[in-house]
Amino acid sequence: MSVAERIRELGFELPAVVPPVASYIPAVSSGRLVFTSGQLPMVDGALPRTGKVGAEVSADEATADARQCALNALAAIDAEIGSLDRITRIVKVVGFVASAEGFHGQPGVINGASNLLGEIFGDAGRHARSAVGVAELPLGAPVEVEVIAEFA
């Protein structure tokens, strides 16, 4: 089964690459690694919600946003390397959560991205990770995710 078929089997679609909102490119490869820029949870060119997690945005909503960020990262990787089937390992995920004061659930939020990558790639989707709380993210997004993947 191809990665695209697995994504569909899980009930998702690989989105179009989100156009950059500043001076960067969505993904770049070096050697056998591909690095994504931070991906926001854009859907059809817009953020589904804005605000800080633990205030305007619930942890469950933010977890779904992290999953969308991972899908957007996979779209950027697909465009950079030509096929998600070339991925041999998800190496690292870095997640940023715009956090209200007192919110400490960043790891649970970023599990939205990590769990999806594990469901798609199995053992090759297990990765190192950072989940960081921040004051603000671009465009008021509640979550941003970067992915580093190895490919053949």
Side-chain angles (χ1 to χ4, degrees), residues 88-90 117-127:
T88 56
R89 173 122 201 158
I90 302 297
L117 293 168
E119 290 175 35
I120 293 169
F121 295 101
D123 284 342
R126 297 185 67 197
H127 51 268

Side-chain angles (χ1 to χ4, degrees), residues 131-143:
V132 181
V134 298
E136 299 284 340
L137 286 169
L139 307 178
V143 180

Side-chain angles (χ1 to χ4, degrees), residues 28-128:
V28 64
S29 54
S30 179
R32 295 180 48 210
L33 296 176
V34 59
F35 302 78
T36 71
S37 295
Q39 298 293 310
L40 301 179
M42 300 290 240
V43 176
D44 297 325
L47 290 171
R49 70 195 112 256
T50 59
K52 293 186 179 187
V53 183
E56 303 86 4
V57 178
S58 73
D60 287 342
E61 290 171 321
T63 300
D65 288 344
R67 185 174 50 241
Q68 184 63 46
C69 291
L71 287 168
N72 292 343
L74 291 176
I77 291 170
D78 184 64
E80 174 67 15
I81 66 172
S83 172
L84 294 177
D85 294 323
R86 294 183 64 197
I87 292 177
T88 56
R89 173 122 201 158
I90 302 297
V91 176
K92 182 153 188 187
V93 170
V94 180
F96 303 94
V97 180
S99 302
E101 186 174 340
F103 180 77
H104 303 288
Q106 294 84 4
V109 167
I110 302 306
N111 279 348
S114 292
N115 292 345
L116 179 65
L117 293 168
E119 290 175 35
I120 293 169
F121 295 101
D123 284 342
R126 297 185 67 197
H127 51 268

Side-chain angles (χ1 to χ4, degrees), residues 11-23:
F12 301 102
E13 287 292 324
L14 191 65
V17 177
V18 176
V21 298
S23 297

